[in-house]
Structure formats: C-alpha cells, structure tokens
Amino acid sequence: ADKQCQFVDAVLDNNPAQAKMVYQIISEKNPIYITRDCQVAKNWVKQQVRGSQRCGVMACCSGQRLKPEGIYVPTDIDVKNWFLAPSDDLRSSNMLEIVASEFKVQGLEIDWGMVCWDADLRRATNGKGWDYYTFRGTKWMKRNKEEQKRYLLNSYRVLLTRSRQGMIIFVPKGVDPESDPTRDSAYYDGIYNYLVNKNII
C-alpha cells in the first residue's frame, strides 16, 4: 500500500521516472492497466473478481464530460450497499452501474478498481504539468486558485489509491472539437500519452 501511494504521488507530482521505478516494484502484485475503451475496462475488472472480492467504477465528482461514455457521477449513492451488497444486487459496486466519487470511497477500499479520468485534470499544453478545470454550464472553466488545484489533485489521489489488488484507468478518446469542444480529443490524448509514452504504465 505504501508503494502504491508512492507511485500515485509520483504520477500526480509530474515525476514519471520515479513512477516507472516504483511501478516495476508493485506491478506483479498490484497491476495497473490503461485503456481508451470503457467496455474493455469494465470487462477487465469484472474478470478479476474471485469469491467475495469487490470491483467498482470510480470517477471524480467534477468529471462531468464522462456522460457520453455512460459514466454518470451522482452526488449521492448508497455507500453501504455499494460496498457490501451481493454481486447480483443492482446497488452493488460489482454490477459496475453506479459510479462512486472520491467523497464516497475516501478511507475505503475495493479489490479491483476502474478509475475514469476526465478532462478536469489534463496535461498542460507544454506537457510539463497539469491544468486544472471545473465544468460549469456548457464549458470547462480553469481553476486558478492554488487551493482549488490541490483539491482536484487530491481527489484523483484518492481515486487512484482505492484499489488494493489492481486497477485499470479509463481515459476516453474524446472527439473532434468541432463536434464537441468540451470533449476535445487533445485533452484526453495528453493524459493518455503522459501515462503511456513516459512508460509509467
């Protein structure tokens, strides 16, 4: 668990070399994968579950442009049933229908997690850090206050450290900005390329 936290810290702190080094240590017992296909991610976590193990879908509460992918982040969920209901109960995390935000999973863990990464936390255009956004009305608004930036970064830190046995990160493909500027593929490509081209995962 300590090494997993070190890995996530390095990823979010823009230290890909450190993240890669730590991941080589934890990868056998705590695998992490990345995909651009939502269904592939769901299939993977589902296939990992054994016995009474839990899997589940998680996303940041500010991930509002995941909706076209079928990922809706509700403001409130039945946390008890999400974590404890039988696998065939629609309220169960194992059904992969109800998405839990950072507020609902903080301090708790599941075995296999699917973490959905939206354009609220995206790579800066210079590729050297993060840009921080919140979605209001019909467009993304940049977060400028340091407190707001830390808050968003910590939200992703929570989501990325909830899976005790392994996780898969889903980064949407996005679309042509002329079709939908709020889902510009460049936003998502930057996130995916950071994780993959830097050989972090």
Side-chain angles (χ1 to χ4, degrees), residues 8 12 17 24-25 29 41 50 63 72 86 89 102 110 115 118 123-124 126 131 152 155 158 168-169 177 189 199:
V8 172
L12 296 177
Q24 289 173 343
I25 298 171
K29 291 186 177 180
R50 300 289 182 273
Y72 294 80
D89 188 320
E102 67 274 21
I110 56 175
V115 177
D118 201 7
R123 297 304 291 170
N126 63 10
D131 275 343
L152 181 60
S155 293
V158 168
I168 187 164
I169 299 170
D189 289 346
N199 297 314

Side-chain angles (χ1 to χ4, degrees), residues 1-132:
D2 182 56
K3 289 293 183 185
Q4 184 190 26
C5 289
Q6 289 179 29
F7 167 78
V8 172
D9 286 344
V11 168
L12 296 177
D13 293 343
N14 301 297
N15 192 340
Q18 174 71 11
K20 180 181 178 181
M21 184 182 73
V22 176
Y23 183 63
Q24 289 173 343
I25 298 171
I26 68 173
S27 60
E28 188 174 336
K29 291 186 177 180
N30 197 270
I32 301 170
Y33 295 96
I34 185 169
T35 182
R36 312 297 296 274
D37 189 311
C38 184
Q39 194 57 52
V40 166
K42 287 187 174 183
N43 290 344
W44 184 83
V45 289
K46 198 85 169 177
Q47 291 165 4
Q48 307 313 308
V49 173
R50 300 289 182 273
S52 61
Q53 291 179 353
R54 307 293 295 194
C55 65
V57 183
M58 297 172 284
C60 187
C61 67
S62 58
Q64 295 300 309
R65 296 312 294 139
L66 295 167
K67 291 176 182 177
E69 303 286 348
I71 304 295
Y72 294 80
V73 189
T75 55
D76 196 20
I77 66 171
D78 185 340
V79 178
K80 180 180 178 182
N81 279 310
W82 197 83
F83 278 100
L84 300 175
S87 294
D88 59 354
D89 188 320
L90 292 176
R91 299 167 298 176
S92 166
S93 67
N94 282 12
M95 291 299 286
L96 305 179
E97 289 192 14
I98 298 174
V99 181
S101 72
E102 67 274 21
F103 295 115
K104 305 305 177 184
V105 298
Q106 189 164 12
L108 302 169
E109 291 182 330
I110 56 175
D111 296 289
W112 305 96
M114 172 181 165
V115 177
C116 307
W117 200 313
D118 201 7
D120 49 344
L121 182 65
R122 67 184 78 153
R123 297 304 291 170
T125 52
N126 63 10
K128 295 182 179 180
W130 299 104
D131 275 343
Y132 308 80

Side-chain angles (χ1 to χ4, degrees), residues 106-196:
Q106 189 164 12
L108 302 169
E109 291 182 330
I110 56 175
D111 296 289
W112 305 96
M114 172 181 165
V115 177
C116 307
W117 200 313
D118 201 7
D120 49 344
L121 182 65
R122 67 184 78 153
R123 297 304 291 170
T125 52
N126 63 10
K128 295 182 179 180
W130 299 104
D131 275 343
Y132 308 80
Y133 285 81
T134 186
F135 194 78
R136 292 179 184 168
T138 60
K139 59 184 179 180
W140 291 107
M141 304 291 288
K142 199 164 188 178
R143 301 184 189 213
N144 295 311
K145 294 182 179 179
E146 289 303 316
E147 182 181 2
Q148 294 176 333
K149 293 178 181 180
R150 286 196 302 272
Y151 185 87
L152 181 60
L153 208 61
N154 284 333
S155 293
Y156 273 86
R157 201 180 310 276
V158 168
L159 296 172
L160 293 166
T161 54
R162 295 307 94 196
S163 308
R164 66 168 69 94
Q165 299 209 49
M167 71 175 160
I168 187 164
I169 299 170
F170 166 56
V171 180
K173 294 179 182 178
V175 296
D176 187 308
E178 291 189 5
S179 171
D180 183 352
T182 69
R183 299 173 60 224
D184 188 337
S185 57
Y187 302 157
Y188 300 100
D189 289 346
I191 300 163
Y192 180 81
N193 291 336
Y194 169 66
L195 296 172
V196 173

